Amino acid sequence: MVFCGAPGWYHGRGVSLGAPSEGGVVVTTDRELYERRPLFEVTKELVAVAQGLEKADLVLRNVRLLNVNTAEIQEGLDVAVRAGRIAYVGRADHTIGPDTIVVDGEGKVLVPGFLDGHIHVESSMVTVREYARVVVPHGTTGIFMDPHEIANVLGMEGVRFMVDDGRDVPLNVWATMPSCVPAVPGFEDGGAQFGPAEVTEAMSWEGIAGLGELMNFPGVLMGSDHAHGEIEATLRAGKPVTGHYSMPDIDRGLNAYIASGVSSCHESTRKEDALARMRLGMYAMMREGSAWHDVKETVRSLTEEKIDARFGLLVSDDAHPDTLLSLGHMDHIVRRAIEEGLDPIRAVQMVTINTAQCFGMAHEIGSISPGKFADMVLLSDLARVAVDRVFYNGRLVAEKGEMAVAIAPSVVPGWARETVRLARPLSEADMKIDAPEGASSVRVRVMEIIEAHVGTYSRQMELPVVDGAVPASVERDVAKMAVFERHRATGTRGLGFVTGFGLQGGAVASTVAHDAHNLMVVGTDDADMALAANVLAEEGGGMIAVRDGQVLALLPLPLAGLMSDEPARTVAASVEALDRAWKELGCSLHAPFMTMALLPLACLPELRLTNRGLVDTVAFRFTDLFV
């Protein structure tokens, strides 16, 4: 897909419908699937088809239309399509000609294509093209991705790669320009630095739909020229600023954050968080990913208060490939909301028209209305969100959970590989935490993880000193953690402790370490920690689990240390092997690697560790490991 000028104007090449067949439609390869003609080019055609003066390319007959405009289900309707757009909704006999493809909807529910308003594709650990191959059969026809993971490693070229990789696939791929590279300036070292100048440049690029999650909310609240300069550049371009406000203050702080121009936020974890945002006119993105299961709590803002849901969105944020393959994408999240008591019509609105309005694109997407893109999903069961067929640009692209069109693999440039650069190979000594001289025990600050949540607790624990150093304690469930700068081989490192993983031995390591994505190691044995780190450096990044000098599981992620160019099923199998290895090491958490990946993120409460040291993220200052 190519973005041309104002939001929603596209052109390209690809696949189109061929001749009708007994099974419905035949898909043949040509240049039409990805052609998105601007509305002003096709107004005469659409008007003529609506009046029966010209004939439709496609007619879906006998559907139950879930009308997101009016929150109702209309029985026995047809939808006529011309030039990739909807021309008519009603009884469409007058739009059918000898060359019109006619598909019998068999009374199934027709909904607009699902939209994910906040997603980091890199967290799926596959390329954008492979991601499209996985999510389209689940009814997803558009995503608003924030590629700030790869931006923190490869800078502007990384963002361009992700945008380019999303062209010419049967999925609308819009990007928000990463705003926080690094996430919180001064607290970590990444591979790039963005500011107002970079944001200004990106706002003119094809495919950029707004500003990515503004995690530097302290900068916004303190009047930082850097943060407000990025906001200004985005608002001048007439595009939305997406947010990340993870503090419990939903009074003065939240009001101030919204007043700056930030229009959405995905960091609600409580009913009160989501309710406060919606009451202040901010889009509350309710998240359900592989590790963050916030819908159960946040959707209560709608099911219990019975308020208007227009400012509610459902998003995934981060989803591993095994989650996408086993549970689904937006279909799964809509299903979860329904399971928690949300009316199915409102749930569908929260992944269609609400999302389109959030990004100022409801004139093109988000509803099945005349003039809009013909991106539609047939559901065989609304309550179960059972996806039967998916249409993109008025063409069948997926059926019964499988793609109906081919997607060419991504082409990964050489400069996007071999991005793990350490000053030297690491040793046991690099994992050693020296105690204050003469101490027999020490009181230390420890990060306590919270399963299925992004936050941590800051705890204080008394640990013994052995031979002048502070070791991990398996008995007390205290593991060591180390973060090594890996972009410019500076040799900087941070050391600390974490509790909650339940590790009984060994070590785990990852170059997926939000958001600077330095090399992170957690373990109970210094030798295993060094081995895990060095193997990942040799592989160009990834995730690994080791014990007693042996590699238990390894997932190489050579693309920026974040993604693989292998098929999703191959990556998912490696993720499952890693999960089994975690359990061998004693950890029973759900998606532990994803939980670990957030431990260096210095914009989330309460205690974090970066390559520069331990960060108190409530006071936003460095703090000592020893109390």
Side-chain angles (χ1 to χ4, degrees):
M1 177 199 73
V2 179
F3 183 97
C4 304
W9 297 356
Y10 311 93
H11 67 270
R13 61 184 183 276
V15 180
S16 73
L17 288 172
S21 71
E22 290 183 4
V25 294
V26 174
V27 178
T28 59
T29 301
D30 64 20
R31 299 178 57 84
E32 296 179 12
L33 177 56
Y34 309 122
E35 181 180 6
R36 290 293 209 190
R37 295 167 64 189
L39 183 59
F40 63 75
E41 283 189 3
V42 296
T43 54
K44 290 184 179 180
E45 291 181 55
L46 298 176
V47 168
V49 170
Q51 297 182 92
L53 303 176
E54 293 187 20
K55 301 307 177 185
D57 299 327
L58 168 74
V59 171
L60 291 180
R61 305 205 67 172
N62 186 29
V63 300
R64 300 174 64 215
L65 176 65
L66 195 160
N67 193 322
V68 295
N69 298 314
T70 54
E72 63 178 325
I73 293 179
Q74 296 176 273
E75 304 285 344
L77 293 187
D78 307 333
V79 177
V81 175
R82 175 70 173 260
R85 291 179 179 266
I86 295 164
Y88 175 86
V89 179
R91 297 299 300 177
D93 296 31
H94 64 292
T95 71
I96 298 173
D99 297 321
T100 302
I101 304 295
V102 179
V103 176
D104 185 4
E106 300 173 328
K108 295 182 173 67
V109 177
L110 185 68
V111 301
F114 299 150
L115 306 170
D116 191 343
H118 183 71
I119 172 65
H120 305 290
V121 170
E122 302 99 312
S123 294
S124 70
M125 295 180 283
V126 294
T127 63
V128 179
R129 303 182 73 80
E130 181 64 16
Y131 179 86
R133 186 178 292 111
V134 175
V135 302
V136 169
H138 291 283
T140 303
T141 61
I143 61 172
F144 293 86
M145 66 173 179
D146 183 347
H148 72 205
E149 319 299 357
I150 200 169
N152 273 278
V153 180
L154 296 174
M156 298 287 273
E157 287 306 306
V159 178
R160 284 189 181 274
F161 167 75
M162 295 292 283
V163 173
D164 289 344
D165 200 35
R167 304 189 195 281
D168 292 353
V169 293
L171 176 72
N172 296 302
V173 179
W174 294 281
T176 55
M177 173 60 180
S179 63
C180 295
V181 180
V184 185
F187 287 91
E188 62 186 349
D189 295 290
Q193 291 187 351
F194 287 0
E198 287 77 13
V199 172
T200 299
E201 177 188 340
M203 287 301 130
S204 66
W205 292 1
E206 297 176 347
I208 299 296
L211 187 66
E213 57 175 299
L214 194 51
M215 292 177 285
N216 187 16
F217 57 85
V220 174
L221 300 187
M222 292 186 293
S224 156
D225 289 341
H226 183 279
H228 284 268
E230 293 187 339
I231 292 173
E232 178 184 352
T234 307
L235 296 181
R236 281 184 179 274
K239 297 179 181 180
V241 178
T242 66
H244 172 121
Y245 181 83
S246 56
M247 300 303 287
D249 174 15
I250 54 178
D251 183 26
R252 295 184 183 184
L254 181 60
N255 271 270
Y257 191 61
I258 297 171
S260 74
V262 180
S263 58
S264 64
C265 176
H266 62 279
E267 285 298 327
S268 296
T269 59
R270 306 171 300 169
K271 166 189 171 180
E272 295 79 11
D273 297 332
L275 190 60
R277 283 159 173 77
M278 291 186 287
R279 282 174 169 167
L280 294 173
M282 171 182 263
Y283 287 95
M285 295 175 167
M286 304 179 197
R287 171 176 52 193
E288 190 81 4
S290 289
W292 332 126
H293 302 158
D294 295 325
V295 163
K296 182 179 180 64
E297 286 298 317
T298 55
V299 82
R300 291 173 53 223
S301 61
L302 300 174
T303 58
E304 296 179 2
E305 298 297 324
K306 305 299 182 183
I307 62 171
D308 194 313
R310 75 180 70 186
F311 282 102
L313 271 63
L314 296 168
V315 303
S316 66
D317 197 2
D318 296 294
H320 276 173
D322 52 328
T323 301
L324 297 173
L325 289 167
S326 61
L327 297 178
H329 184 222
M330 300 313 295
D331 56 338
H332 163 62
I333 301 174
V334 172
R335 190 179 308 119
R336 280 289 303 116
I338 295 171
E339 289 170 352
E340 295 299 330
L342 188 63
D343 176 79
I345 294 177
R346 299 174 93 192
V348 170
Q349 286 178 313
M350 292 171 67
V351 296
T352 56
I353 193 168
N354 291 13
T355 310
Q357 290 173 340
C358 174
F359 287 92
M361 298 183 68
H363 62 294
E364 296 280 42
I365 58 175
S367 68
I368 298 176
S369 311
K372 308 299 191 294
F373 289 163
D375 301 338
M376 303 171 288
V377 179
L378 268 177
L379 301 177
S380 57
D381 187 310
L382 174 59
R384 294 191 302 109
V385 201
V387 175
D388 183 72
R389 278 172 279 186
V390 183
F391 295 84
Y392 172 85
N393 205 20
R395 278 112 176 137
L396 179 71
V397 293
E399 185 171 15
K400 306 297 184 185
E402 300 291 338
M403 288 297 299
V405 297
I407 300 176
S410 302
V411 177
V412 179
W415 51 261
R417 302 178 185 272
E418 299 180 4
T419 60
V420 181
R421 305 179 185 95
L422 299 179
R424 56 176 171 74
L426 300 174
S427 68
E428 294 181 50
D430 294 304
M431 311 300 166
K432 184 180 178 183
I433 298 178
D434 292 317
E437 188 173 351
S440 59
S441 67
V442 290
R443 192 163 187 81
V444 297
R445 291 183 173 86
V446 180
M447 292 172 284
E448 180 181 346
I449 63 169
I450 309 167
E451 184 174 11
H453 289 281
V454 299
T456 65
Y457 296 124
S458 178
R459 303 300 192 197
Q460 295 183 12
M461 301 178 71
E462 194 78 19
L463 295 178
V465 174
V466 179
D467 297 329
V470 188
S473 172
V474 171
E475 294 78 14
R476 301 191 64 185
D477 184 20
V478 177
K480 279 187 182 180
M481 178 175 170
V483 179
F484 299 91
E485 192 278 327
R486 63 103 164 176
H487 303 286
R488 295 183 174 85
T490 63
T492 58
R493 65 170 181 171
L495 296 171
F497 293 100
V498 61
T499 184
F501 284 116
L503 296 181
Q504 298 299 302
V508 288
S510 176
T511 51
V512 178
H514 301 288
D515 271 343
H517 298 293
N518 286 307
L519 176 55
M520 171 179 55
V521 193
V522 172
T524 63
D525 181 88
D526 291 351
D528 283 342
M529 291 175 73
L531 173 64
N534 289 326
V535 170
L536 281 195
E538 293 170 4
E539 291 286 342
M543 298 178 177
I544 190 172
V546 304
R547 187 169 192 173
D548 299 329
Q550 299 296 316
V551 175
L552 302 181
L554 170 65
L555 169 59
L557 298 173
L559 174 47
L562 301 172
M563 294 181 285
S564 170
D565 51 7
E566 295 290 332
R569 293 193 181 279
T570 301
V571 178
S574 294
V575 171
E576 290 173 1
L578 283 164
D579 191 62
R580 291 193 296 271
W582 271 89
K583 288 180 171 57
E584 268 189 69
L585 296 178
C587 178
S588 60
L589 297 179
H590 177 74
F593 256 121
M594 191 168 280
T595 300
M596 185 178 83
L598 290 183
L599 292 180
L601 187 50
C603 63
L604 292 175
E606 297 177 344
L607 191 65
R608 302 284 154 164
L609 181 69
T610 77
N611 69 293
R612 293 194 182 189
L614 202 61
V615 184
D616 177 341
T617 54
V618 176
F620 280 96
R621 64 188 179 194
F622 287 105
T623 189
D624 292 330
L625 176 60
F626 300 108
V627 180

